[in-house]
Amino acid sequence: AGPCDLYSSGGTPCVAAHSTTRALYSAYSGPLYQVQRASDGTTTTIAPLSAGGVANAATQDSFCASTTCLITIIYDQSGRGNHLTQAPPGGFPGPESNGYDNLASATGAPVTLNGQKAYGVFISPGTGYRNNAVRGTATGDAAEGMYAVLDGTHYNGGCCFDYGNAETNSLDTGNGHMEAIYFGDNTGWGSGSGSGPWIMADLENGLFSGASARQNAGNPSIIDRFVTAVVKGGPNQWAIRGANAASGSLSTFYSGVRPSVSGYNPMHKEGAIILGIGGDNSVSAQGTFYEGVMTAGYPSDATEDSVQADIVAAKYAITSLTSGPALTVGSSISLRATTPSFTTRYIAHTGSAVNTQVVSSSSTTALKQQASWIVRTGLANSACFSFESKDTPGSYIRHYNFELLLNANDGTKLFHEDATFCPQAGLNGQGSSIRSWSYPTRYFRHYNNGLYAASNGGVDTFDAAASFNDDVSWVVSTGFA
Ligand code: AHR
Ligand code: AHR
């Protein structure tokens, strides 16, 4: 049985079931998600390998070969048509044209389930999915449950990496108009013990970690790579539960009455579904989603415990984030452009500006050093890499407003994330394409001889689709210096 079969047996059926990694009903063999490729704008659907099984990631890999792909639709497996698509602007606009949010890269969150490759939904700040025209989700004070499987190491303090019930007009319509799982280390409202991240409930105008509207010491910081997050709510009762999604059972972090702050009892749920954003389309948060559901009715702890056992049996595990030519930590490298007429140019820096310059064996020592980079273990993720300047030790290539800069490592989590990149086989068939870990739609790209973290066909001039594959493909060699 899959998670939704278990919820049905418990009398609290799924009314929305989303996953890019697997079927959530044992009999489900329909679409899991849709991807769109940049090369020709066409889409394809990814389905399970077999009924109830893991997503057929090979379909995506062949469809997206030599180009980039975005996740355009996350299908609802419950049969109610509650699919998630690109979120529209609300109280806040997203970064795409017309204020829409970004779509997620189809390759930002690779994992294996029982040894089979699949992809999660890697939400960078600015990315969001939503359905404001739902059927069957809880409204008003009606009871519901939900769970999500997330990456416990991918989070931030922005508002708000959520999955669950929100406003149907994408605006903040007041206390109690949401009931969603939140994951991250935002401390602007509630918090738990330690420094986070925490599983909290976004009930609108507040992230609640338990009985108190502020800190609840019984809500622990999460340390697991894969985490199961549970929130459920009904008339004057709600609960937060959590577990390592790869082993063990759920713990209850809070179970009790509604917050005493005005507006949350009774609730005013509206029933829209959000992923990766706040109810009002706040878009500053990040996180990774693998699977999740919403139910009708308040699931029993026993039902949720059986769902957790099913998640553990799915055996989520990490897999490689890189491909293409190998990099050796500690070595000095230079990176040559492959775009025709630019093939004598290498990634270099002039002060804090990262650019391309013509470099050869007869260049000055200074220029050779400016075009040489020491490969370091990724500052934010040891499965990827960071690039330290040869001539300015302690300074790394990082993106800032999606320009590449050479900046001193200031030790912050944001700097580490901005300076972590995951190379893959070059999109034009040459060398390597160097993808941002934190914004996996974006790659090292030269544009007018400047360097950017560019997305294929995005809103900035340096995102231009023309010449994208060539501009993001670099031949890596031993460093000039
Ligand atoms: O409740 C926290 C956030 O507050 C909600 O997600 C958002 O709608 C509002 O800004
Ligand atoms: O480059 C995008 C973002 O811009 C970085 O993550 C952040 O440091 C800056 O605000």
mmCIF file with all atom_site columns, all heavy atoms in Angstrom, residues 125 398-403 414-415 417-418 438-439 442 453, ligand 2:
data_model
loop_
_atom_site.group_PDB
_atom_site.id
_atom_site.type_symbol
_atom_site.label_atom_id
_atom_site.label_alt_id
_atom_site.label_comp_id
_atom_site.label_asym_id
_atom_site.label_entity_id
_atom_site.label_seq_id
_atom_site.pdbx_PDB_ins_code
_atom_site.Cartn_x
_atom_site.Cartn_y
_atom_site.Cartn_z
_atom_site.occupancy
_atom_site.B_iso_or_equiv
_atom_site.pdbx_formal_charge
_atom_site.auth_seq_id
_atom_site.auth_comp_id
_atom_site.auth_asym_id
_atom_site.auth_atom_id
_atom_site.pdbx_PDB_model_num
ATOM   1   N N   . PRO A 1 125 ? 15.008 30.594 -3.678  1.00 0.00 ? 125 PRO A N   1
ATOM   2   C CA  . PRO A 1 125 ? 14.211 31.806 -3.475  1.00 0.00 ? 125 PRO A CA  1
ATOM   3   C C   . PRO A 1 125 ? 13.674 32.306 -4.822  1.00 0.00 ? 125 PRO A C   1
ATOM   4   O O   . PRO A 1 125 ? 14.408 32.333 -5.820  1.00 0.00 ? 125 PRO A O   1
ATOM   5   C CB  . PRO A 1 125 ? 15.221 32.792 -2.870  1.00 0.00 ? 125 PRO A CB  1
ATOM   6   C CG  . PRO A 1 125 ? 16.197 31.903 -2.147  1.00 0.00 ? 125 PRO A CG  1
ATOM   7   C CD  . PRO A 1 125 ? 16.340 30.683 -3.039  1.00 0.00 ? 125 PRO A CD  1
ATOM   8   N N   . ARG A 1 398 ? 31.482 33.647 -6.316  1.00 0.00 ? 398 ARG A N   1
ATOM   9   C CA  . ARG A 1 398 ? 30.127 33.503 -5.775  1.00 0.00 ? 398 ARG A CA  1
ATOM   10  C C   . ARG A 1 398 ? 29.181 34.301 -6.670  1.00 0.00 ? 398 ARG A C   1
ATOM   11  O O   . ARG A 1 398 ? 29.605 35.195 -7.394  1.00 0.00 ? 398 ARG A O   1
ATOM   12  C CB  . ARG A 1 398 ? 30.088 33.997 -4.332  1.00 0.00 ? 398 ARG A CB  1
ATOM   13  C CG  . ARG A 1 398 ? 30.397 35.486 -4.130  1.00 0.00 ? 398 ARG A CG  1
ATOM   14  C CD  . ARG A 1 398 ? 29.222 36.432 -4.246  1.00 0.00 ? 398 ARG A CD  1
ATOM   15  N NE  . ARG A 1 398 ? 28.190 36.193 -3.283  1.00 0.00 ? 398 ARG A NE  1
ATOM   16  C CZ  . ARG A 1 398 ? 28.099 36.843 -2.131  1.00 0.00 ? 398 ARG A CZ  1
ATOM   17  N NH1 . ARG A 1 398 ? 28.989 37.783 -1.830  1.00 0.00 ? 398 ARG A NH1 1
ATOM   18  N NH2 . ARG A 1 398 ? 27.095 36.619 -1.304  1.00 0.00 ? 398 ARG A NH2 1
ATOM   19  N N   . HIS A 1 399 ? 27.891 33.958 -6.624  1.00 0.00 ? 399 HIS A N   1
ATOM   20  C CA  . HIS A 1 399 ? 26.923 34.792 -7.347  1.00 0.00 ? 399 HIS A CA  1
ATOM   21  C C   . HIS A 1 399 ? 26.296 35.772 -6.377  1.00 0.00 ? 399 HIS A C   1
ATOM   22  O O   . HIS A 1 399 ? 26.129 35.494 -5.178  1.00 0.00 ? 399 HIS A O   1
ATOM   23  C CB  . HIS A 1 399 ? 25.863 33.957 -8.068  1.00 0.00 ? 399 HIS A CB  1
ATOM   24  C CG  . HIS A 1 399 ? 25.017 33.085 -7.189  1.00 0.00 ? 399 HIS A CG  1
ATOM   25  N ND1 . HIS A 1 399 ? 23.915 33.562 -6.508  1.00 0.00 ? 399 HIS A ND1 1
ATOM   26  C CD2 . HIS A 1 399 ? 25.094 31.771 -6.875  1.00 0.00 ? 399 HIS A CD2 1
ATOM   27  C CE1 . HIS A 1 399 ? 23.362 32.567 -5.829  1.00 0.00 ? 399 HIS A CE1 1
ATOM   28  N NE2 . HIS A 1 399 ? 24.064 31.472 -6.024  1.00 0.00 ? 399 HIS A NE2 1
ATOM   29  N N   . TYR A 1 400 ? 26.010 36.942 -6.896  1.00 0.00 ? 400 TYR A N   1
ATOM   30  C CA  . TYR A 1 400 ? 25.348 37.988 -6.109  1.00 0.00 ? 400 TYR A CA  1
ATOM   31  C C   . TYR A 1 400 ? 24.482 38.761 -7.085  1.00 0.00 ? 400 TYR A C   1
ATOM   32  O O   . TYR A 1 400 ? 24.983 39.295 -8.078  1.00 0.00 ? 400 TYR A O   1
ATOM   33  C CB  . TYR A 1 400 ? 26.384 38.909 -5.443  1.00 0.00 ? 400 TYR A CB  1
ATOM   34  C CG  . TYR A 1 400 ? 25.739 39.855 -4.457  1.00 0.00 ? 400 TYR A CG  1
ATOM   35  C CD1 . TYR A 1 400 ? 25.506 39.449 -3.148  1.00 0.00 ? 400 TYR A CD1 1
ATOM   36  C CD2 . TYR A 1 400 ? 25.316 41.117 -4.862  1.00 0.00 ? 400 TYR A CD2 1
ATOM   37  C CE1 . TYR A 1 400 ? 24.875 40.290 -2.253  1.00 0.00 ? 400 TYR A CE1 1
ATOM   38  C CE2 . TYR A 1 400 ? 24.683 41.963 -3.967  1.00 0.00 ? 400 TYR A CE2 1
ATOM   39  C CZ  . TYR A 1 400 ? 24.471 41.551 -2.666  1.00 0.00 ? 400 TYR A CZ  1
ATOM   40  O OH  . TYR A 1 400 ? 23.837 42.385 -1.782  1.00 0.00 ? 400 TYR A OH  1
ATOM   41  N N   . ASN A 1 401 ? 23.187 38.796 -6.829  1.00 0.00 ? 401 ASN A N   1
ATOM   42  C CA  . ASN A 1 401 ? 22.240 39.290 -7.834  1.00 0.00 ? 401 ASN A CA  1
ATOM   43  C C   . ASN A 1 401 ? 22.495 38.627 -9.186  1.00 0.00 ? 401 ASN A C   1
ATOM   44  O O   . ASN A 1 401 ? 22.291 39.237 -10.230 1.00 0.00 ? 401 ASN A O   1
ATOM   45  C CB  . ASN A 1 401 ? 22.286 40.814 -7.962  1.00 0.00 ? 401 ASN A CB  1
ATOM   46  C CG  . ASN A 1 401 ? 21.737 41.475 -6.714  1.00 0.00 ? 401 ASN A CG  1
ATOM   47  O OD1 . ASN A 1 401 ? 20.910 40.901 -6.003  1.00 0.00 ? 401 ASN A OD1 1
ATOM   48  N ND2 . ASN A 1 401 ? 22.201 42.692 -6.432  1.00 0.00 ? 401 ASN A ND2 1
ATOM   49  N N   . PHE A 1 402 ? 22.927 37.388 -9.122  1.00 0.00 ? 402 PHE A N   1
ATOM   50  C CA  . PHE A 1 402 ? 23.165 36.534 -10.295 1.00 0.00 ? 402 PHE A CA  1
ATOM   51  C C   . PHE A 1 402 ? 24.314 36.995 -11.179 1.00 0.00 ? 402 PHE A C   1
ATOM   52  O O   . PHE A 1 402 ? 24.496 36.475 -12.268 1.00 0.00 ? 402 PHE A O   1
ATOM   53  C CB  . PHE A 1 402 ? 21.866 36.306 -11.082 1.00 0.00 ? 402 PHE A CB  1
ATOM   54  C CG  . PHE A 1 402 ? 20.760 35.832 -10.201 1.00 0.00 ? 402 PHE A CG  1
ATOM   55  C CD1 . PHE A 1 402 ? 19.553 36.514 -10.129 1.00 0.00 ? 402 PHE A CD1 1
ATOM   56  C CD2 . PHE A 1 402 ? 20.935 34.718 -9.391  1.00 0.00 ? 402 PHE A CD2 1
ATOM   57  C CE1 . PHE A 1 402 ? 18.546 36.091 -9.265  1.00 0.00 ? 402 PHE A CE1 1
ATOM   58  C CE2 . PHE A 1 402 ? 19.945 34.298 -8.524  1.00 0.00 ? 402 PHE A CE2 1
ATOM   59  C CZ  . PHE A 1 402 ? 18.733 34.977 -8.465  1.00 0.00 ? 402 PHE A CZ  1
ATOM   60  N N   . GLU A 1 403 ? 25.132 37.965 -10.686 1.00 0.00 ? 403 GLU A N   1
ATOM   61  C CA  . GLU A 1 403 ? 26.436 38.209 -11.305 1.00 0.00 ? 403 GLU A CA  1
ATOM   62  C C   . GLU A 1 403 ? 27.443 37.376 -10.549 1.00 0.00 ? 403 GLU A C   1
ATOM   63  O O   . GLU A 1 403 ? 27.303 37.181 -9.343  1.00 0.00 ? 403 GLU A O   1
ATOM   64  C CB  . GLU A 1 403 ? 26.845 39.680 -11.169 1.00 0.00 ? 403 GLU A CB  1
ATOM   65  C CG  . GLU A 1 403 ? 26.056 40.621 -12.035 1.00 0.00 ? 403 GLU A CG  1
ATOM   66  C CD  . GLU A 1 403 ? 26.570 42.052 -11.890 1.00 0.00 ? 403 GLU A CD  1
ATOM   67  O OE1 . GLU A 1 403 ? 27.797 42.250 -11.741 1.00 0.00 ? 403 GLU A OE1 1
ATOM   68  O OE2 . GLU A 1 403 ? 25.729 42.949 -11.916 1.00 0.00 ? 403 GLU A OE2 1
ATOM   69  N N   . LEU A 1 414 ? 24.805 31.931 3.705   1.00 0.00 ? 414 LEU A N   1
ATOM   70  C CA  . LEU A 1 414 ? 24.441 32.462 2.383   1.00 0.00 ? 414 LEU A CA  1
ATOM   71  C C   . LEU A 1 414 ? 25.662 32.518 1.475   1.00 0.00 ? 414 LEU A C   1
ATOM   72  O O   . LEU A 1 414 ? 25.582 32.127 0.301   1.00 0.00 ? 414 LEU A O   1
ATOM   73  C CB  . LEU A 1 414 ? 23.806 33.853 2.508   1.00 0.00 ? 414 LEU A CB  1
ATOM   74  C CG  . LEU A 1 414 ? 23.403 34.476 1.174   1.00 0.00 ? 414 LEU A CG  1
ATOM   75  C CD1 . LEU A 1 414 ? 22.312 33.661 0.479   1.00 0.00 ? 414 LEU A CD1 1
ATOM   76  C CD2 . LEU A 1 414 ? 22.927 35.920 1.364   1.00 0.00 ? 414 LEU A CD2 1
ATOM   77  N N   . PHE A 1 415 ? 26.815 32.984 1.996   1.00 0.00 ? 415 PHE A N   1
ATOM   78  C CA  . PHE A 1 415 ? 28.009 33.018 1.152   1.00 0.00 ? 415 PHE A CA  1
ATOM   79  C C   . PHE A 1 415 ? 28.370 31.614 0.686   1.00 0.00 ? 415 PHE A C   1
ATOM   80  O O   . PHE A 1 415 ? 28.660 31.375 -0.493  1.00 0.00 ? 415 PHE A O   1
ATOM   81  C CB  . PHE A 1 415 ? 29.208 33.652 1.893   1.00 0.00 ? 415 PHE A CB  1
ATOM   82  C CG  . PHE A 1 415 ? 30.411 33.780 1.005   1.00 0.00 ? 415 PHE A CG  1
ATOM   83  C CD1 . PHE A 1 415 ? 30.643 34.942 0.288   1.00 0.00 ? 415 PHE A CD1 1
ATOM   84  C CD2 . PHE A 1 415 ? 31.284 32.711 0.825   1.00 0.00 ? 415 PHE A CD2 1
ATOM   85  C CE1 . PHE A 1 415 ? 31.727 35.047 -0.581  1.00 0.00 ? 415 PHE A CE1 1
ATOM   86  C CE2 . PHE A 1 415 ? 32.363 32.804 -0.043  1.00 0.00 ? 415 PHE A CE2 1
ATOM   87  C CZ  . PHE A 1 415 ? 32.588 33.972 -0.746  1.00 0.00 ? 415 PHE A CZ  1
ATOM   88  N N   . GLU A 1 417 ? 26.525 29.095 0.254   1.00 0.00 ? 417 GLU A N   1
ATOM   89  C CA  . GLU A 1 417 ? 25.585 28.622 -0.771  1.00 0.00 ? 417 GLU A CA  1
ATOM   90  C C   . GLU A 1 417 ? 25.819 29.340 -2.101  1.00 0.00 ? 417 GLU A C   1
ATOM   91  O O   . GLU A 1 417 ? 25.768 28.721 -3.168  1.00 0.00 ? 417 GLU A O   1
ATOM   92  C CB  . GLU A 1 417 ? 24.150 28.807 -0.273  1.00 0.00 ? 417 GLU A CB  1
ATOM   93  C CG  . GLU A 1 417 ? 23.876 27.899 0.922   1.00 0.00 ? 417 GLU A CG  1
ATOM   94  C CD  . GLU A 1 417 ? 22.512 28.081 1.561   1.00 0.00 ? 417 GLU A CD  1
ATOM   95  O OE1 . GLU A 1 417 ? 21.809 29.058 1.230   1.00 0.00 ? 417 GLU A OE1 1
ATOM   96  O OE2 . GLU A 1 417 ? 22.156 27.251 2.408   1.00 0.00 ? 417 GLU A OE2 1
ATOM   97  N N   . ASP A 1 418 ? 26.088 30.658 -2.030  1.00 0.00 ? 418 ASP A N   1
ATOM   98  C CA  . ASP A 1 418 ? 26.339 31.427 -3.254  1.00 0.00 ? 418 ASP A CA  1
ATOM   99  C C   . ASP A 1 418 ? 27.614 30.962 -3.958  1.00 0.00 ? 418 ASP A C   1
ATOM   100 O O   . ASP A 1 418 ? 27.809 31.244 -5.145  1.00 0.00 ? 418 ASP A O   1
ATOM   101 C CB  . ASP A 1 418 ? 26.492 32.920 -2.927  1.00 0.00 ? 418 ASP A CB  1
ATOM   102 C CG  . ASP A 1 418 ? 25.201 33.599 -2.502  1.00 0.00 ? 418 ASP A CG  1
ATOM   103 O OD1 . ASP A 1 418 ? 24.129 32.981 -2.628  1.00 0.00 ? 418 ASP A OD1 1
ATOM   104 O OD2 . ASP A 1 418 ? 25.274 34.760 -2.040  1.00 0.00 ? 418 ASP A OD2 1
ATOM   105 N N   . SER A 1 438 ? 22.674 26.434 -5.316  1.00 0.00 ? 438 SER A N   1
ATOM   106 C CA  . SER A 1 438 ? 21.500 27.033 -4.667  1.00 0.00 ? 438 SER A CA  1
ATOM   107 C C   . SER A 1 438 ? 20.433 27.492 -5.658  1.00 0.00 ? 438 SER A C   1
ATOM   108 O O   . SER A 1 438 ? 19.284 27.673 -5.264  1.00 0.00 ? 438 SER A O   1
ATOM   109 C CB  . SER A 1 438 ? 21.925 28.201 -3.773  1.00 0.00 ? 438 SER A CB  1
ATOM   110 O OG  . SER A 1 438 ? 22.695 29.148 -4.478  1.00 0.00 ? 438 SER A OG  1
ATOM   111 N N   . TYR A 1 439 ? 20.826 27.687 -6.913  1.00 0.00 ? 439 TYR A N   1
ATOM   112 C CA  . TYR A 1 439 ? 19.885 28.059 -7.987  1.00 0.00 ? 439 TYR A CA  1
ATOM   113 C C   . TYR A 1 439 ? 20.165 27.136 -9.167  1.00 0.00 ? 439 TYR A C   1
ATOM   114 O O   . TYR A 1 439 ? 20.812 27.541 -10.128 1.00 0.00 ? 439 TYR A O   1
ATOM   115 C CB  . TYR A 1 439 ? 20.057 29.521 -8.388  1.00 0.00 ? 439 TYR A CB  1
ATOM   116 C CG  . TYR A 1 439 ? 19.575 30.518 -7.352  1.00 0.00 ? 439 TYR A CG  1
ATOM   117 C CD1 . TYR A 1 439 ? 20.371 30.890 -6.280  1.00 0.00 ? 439 TYR A CD1 1
ATOM   118 C CD2 . TYR A 1 439 ? 18.304 31.091 -7.457  1.00 0.00 ? 439 TYR A CD2 1
ATOM   119 C CE1 . TYR A 1 439 ? 19.933 31.808 -5.330  1.00 0.00 ? 439 TYR A CE1 1
ATOM   120 C CE2 . TYR A 1 439 ? 17.861 32.009 -6.518  1.00 0.00 ? 439 TYR A CE2 1
ATOM   121 C CZ  . TYR A 1 439 ? 18.673 32.358 -5.462  1.00 0.00 ? 439 TYR A CZ  1
ATOM   122 O OH  . TYR A 1 439 ? 18.223 33.276 -4.526  1.00 0.00 ? 439 TYR A OH  1
ATOM   123 N N   . ARG A 1 442 ? 20.592 27.759 -12.903 1.00 0.00 ? 442 ARG A N   1
ATOM   124 C CA  . ARG A 1 442 ? 21.590 28.762 -13.327 1.00 0.00 ? 442 ARG A CA  1
ATOM   125 C C   . ARG A 1 442 ? 22.986 28.168 -13.435 1.00 0.00 ? 442 ARG A C   1
ATOM   126 O O   . ARG A 1 442 ? 23.395 27.364 -12.603 1.00 0.00 ? 442 ARG A O   1
ATOM   127 C CB  . ARG A 1 442 ? 21.590 29.929 -12.341 1.00 0.00 ? 442 ARG A CB  1
ATOM   128 C CG  . ARG A 1 442 ? 20.255 30.668 -12.352 1.00 0.00 ? 442 ARG A CG  1
ATOM   129 C CD  . ARG A 1 442 ? 20.221 31.760 -11.303 1.00 0.00 ? 442 ARG A CD  1
ATOM   130 N NE  . ARG A 1 442 ? 18.975 32.494 -11.374 1.00 0.00 ? 442 ARG A NE  1
ATOM   131 C CZ  . ARG A 1 442 ? 18.763 33.538 -12.174 1.00 0.00 ? 442 ARG A CZ  1
ATOM   132 N NH1 . ARG A 1 442 ? 19.741 33.987 -12.958 1.00 0.00 ? 442 ARG A NH1 1
ATOM   133 N NH2 . ARG A 1 442 ? 17.592 34.143 -12.212 1.00 0.00 ? 442 ARG A NH2 1
ATOM   134 N N   . ALA A 1 453 ? 25.493 33.988 -13.247 1.00 0.00 ? 453 ALA A N   1
ATOM   135 C CA  . ALA A 1 453 ? 24.771 32.746 -12.967 1.00 0.00 ? 453 ALA A CA  1
ATOM   136 C C   . ALA A 1 453 ? 23.467 32.888 -13.750 1.00 0.00 ? 453 ALA A C   1
ATOM   137 O O   . ALA A 1 453 ? 22.523 33.550 -13.302 1.00 0.00 ? 453 ALA A O   1
ATOM   138 C CB  . ALA A 1 453 ? 24.523 32.582 -11.475 1.00 0.00 ? 453 ALA A CB  1
HETATM 139 O O1  . AHR B 2 .   ? 22.762 35.882 -6.711  1.00 0.00 ? 2   AHR B O1  1
HETATM 140 C C1  . AHR B 2 .   ? 21.472 35.773 -6.109  1.00 0.00 ? 2   AHR B C1  1
HETATM 141 C C2  . AHR B 2 .   ? 21.433 36.285 -4.704  1.00 0.00 ? 2   AHR B C2  1
HETATM 142 O O2  . AHR B 2 .   ? 21.763 37.659 -4.698  1.00 0.00 ? 2   AHR B O2  1
HETATM 143 C C3  . AHR B 2 .   ? 22.411 35.695 -3.749  1.00 0.00 ? 2   AHR B C3  1
HETATM 144 O O3  . AHR B 2 .   ? 22.009 34.437 -3.254  1.00 0.00 ? 2   AHR B O3  1
HETATM 145 C C4  . AHR B 2 .   ? 22.448 36.723 -2.658  1.00 0.00 ? 2   AHR B C4  1
HETATM 146 O O4  . AHR B 2 .   ? 23.705 36.758 -2.007  1.00 0.00 ? 2   AHR B O4  1
HETATM 147 C C5  . AHR B 2 .   ? 22.180 38.032 -3.381  1.00 0.00 ? 2   AHR B C5  1
HETATM 148 O O5  . AHR B 2 .   ? 21.134 38.696 -2.771  1.00 0.00 ? 2   AHR B O5  1
#
